[in-house]
């Protein structure tokens, strides 16, 4: 009988120990939308070349391509290459939600903000986080936006911008979009002039 009790106690202790070990080893993993956004942002240095799908539309100043990465929850995603004197000016955008109900769109906008804010990304050997400030959108403002800063700041990351928008789209829809794009120059920075 003593052997049975000792064996039961030993099995109980070992199973409790292994349970706490596995519980401690679980690390949070980005899934769904956040994992997809990490892939998009991390492909920015290559100018989204790994995400570029088939030609969608050719315009005088730009060329649009389908994004070959399916973004969790997105209605559509597009990569745009712009004609510019500076090579490689690109943007990526995804329409995440469209509704004629402002309150529904506002909830989605807040939800996507919460998923993007503090999102960690790795570019090369460097690690960054997205930091944004949420302002409650109003229906009177036809365009609401959060521009995320990439922290810590790095010289080669100054041109990349990550933005979340909630905007009115005629005739009666509200759209939530996520954008990753080049900002050609800072506000007040003068472009090159030709004589």
């Amino acid at each position: 009988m003593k052997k049975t009790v000792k064996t039961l106690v030993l099995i109980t202790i070992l199973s409790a120990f292994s349970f706490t070990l596995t519980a401690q080893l679980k690390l949070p993993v980005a899934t769904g939308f956040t994992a997809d956004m990490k892939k998009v942002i991390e492909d920015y240095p290559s100018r989204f070349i790994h995400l570029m799908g088939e030609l969608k539309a050719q315009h005088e100043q730009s060329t649009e391509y389908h994004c070959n990465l399916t973004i969790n929850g997105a209605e559509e995603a597009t990569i745009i290459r712009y004609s510019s004197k500076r090579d490689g000016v690109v943007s990526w955008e995804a329409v995440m939600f469209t509704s004629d109900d402002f309150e529904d769109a506002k909830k989605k906008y807040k939800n996507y903000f919460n998923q993007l804010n503090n999102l960690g990304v790795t570019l090369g050997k460097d690690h960054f986080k997205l930091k944004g400030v949420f302002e409650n959108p109003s229906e009177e403002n036809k365009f609401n936006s959060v521009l995320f800063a990439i922290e810590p700041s790095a010289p080669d990351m100054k041109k990349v911008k990550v933005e979340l928008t909630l905007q009115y789209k005629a005739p009666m829809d509200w759209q939530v979009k996520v954008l990753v794009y080049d900002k050609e120059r800072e506000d007040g920075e003068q472009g090159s002039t030709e004589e």
Side-chain angles (χ1 to χ4, degrees), residues 30-130:
T31 58
F33 172 72
T34 54
D36 294 339
M37 286 307 301
K38 285 174 66 104
K39 289 176 188 173
V40 170
I41 296 166
E42 290 170 357
D43 200 46
Y44 167 81
S46 71
R47 321 311 289 149
F48 306 121
I49 198 75
H50 302 107
L51 305 178
M52 192 176 299
E54 293 182 20
L55 179 69
K56 184 176 180 181
Q58 180 77 43
H59 307 287
E60 189 175 320
Q61 298 291 321
S62 64
T63 306
E64 295 180 22
Y65 298 89
H66 292 280
C67 180
N68 63 18
L69 173 66
T70 303
I71 305 301
N72 191 331
E75 295 173 10
E76 68 175 326
T78 305
I79 296 167
I80 305 168
R81 292 198 172 276
Y82 296 94
S83 303
S84 171
K85 293 201 184 251
R86 198 182 98 200
D87 288 337
V89 177
V90 295
S91 72
W92 174 94
E93 67 177 54
V95 176
M96 299 306 299
F97 183 74
T98 305
S99 174
D100 62 354
D101 186 329
F102 175 75
E103 290 302 318
D104 286 347
K106 181 178 167 180
K107 286 177 191 168
K108 286 287 187 180
Y109 180 66
K110 175 71 171 170
N111 181 306
Y112 285 118
F113 170 81
N114 289 336
Q115 292 183 66
L116 288 170
N117 198 35
N118 292 313
L119 178 67
V121 294
T122 303
L123 297 164
K125 295 178 184 178
D126 299 319
H127 303 287
F128 301 94
K129 279 195 175 188
L130 300 181

Side-chain angles (χ1 to χ4, degrees), residues 132-177:
V133 176
F134 186 82
E135 291 183 23
N136 210 17
S138 82
E139 199 166 356
E140 290 75 39
N141 291 340
K142 301 297 184 196
F143 183 81
N144 301 272
S145 170
V146 175
L147 188 60
F148 292 90
I150 296 179
E151 296 180 353
S153 182
D156 56 338
M157 296 305 294
K158 282 189 175 187
K159 299 288 185 189
V160 65
K161 301 298 176 199
V162 178
E163 186 173 11
L164 176 67
T165 65
L166 170 60
Q167 63 188 30
Y168 180 76
K169 185 177 179 191
M172 54 190 238
D173 285 333
W174 288 92
Q175 245 181 14
V176 177
K177 286 185 179 182

Side-chain angles (χ1 to χ4, degrees), residues 181-195:
Y181 58 90
D182 281 324
K183 186 170 183 182
E184 260 196 281
R185 56 181 168 262
E186 294 301 318
D187 296 338
E189 180 183 338
Q190 186 171 347
S192 61
T193 57
E194 293 182 20
E195 292 185 27

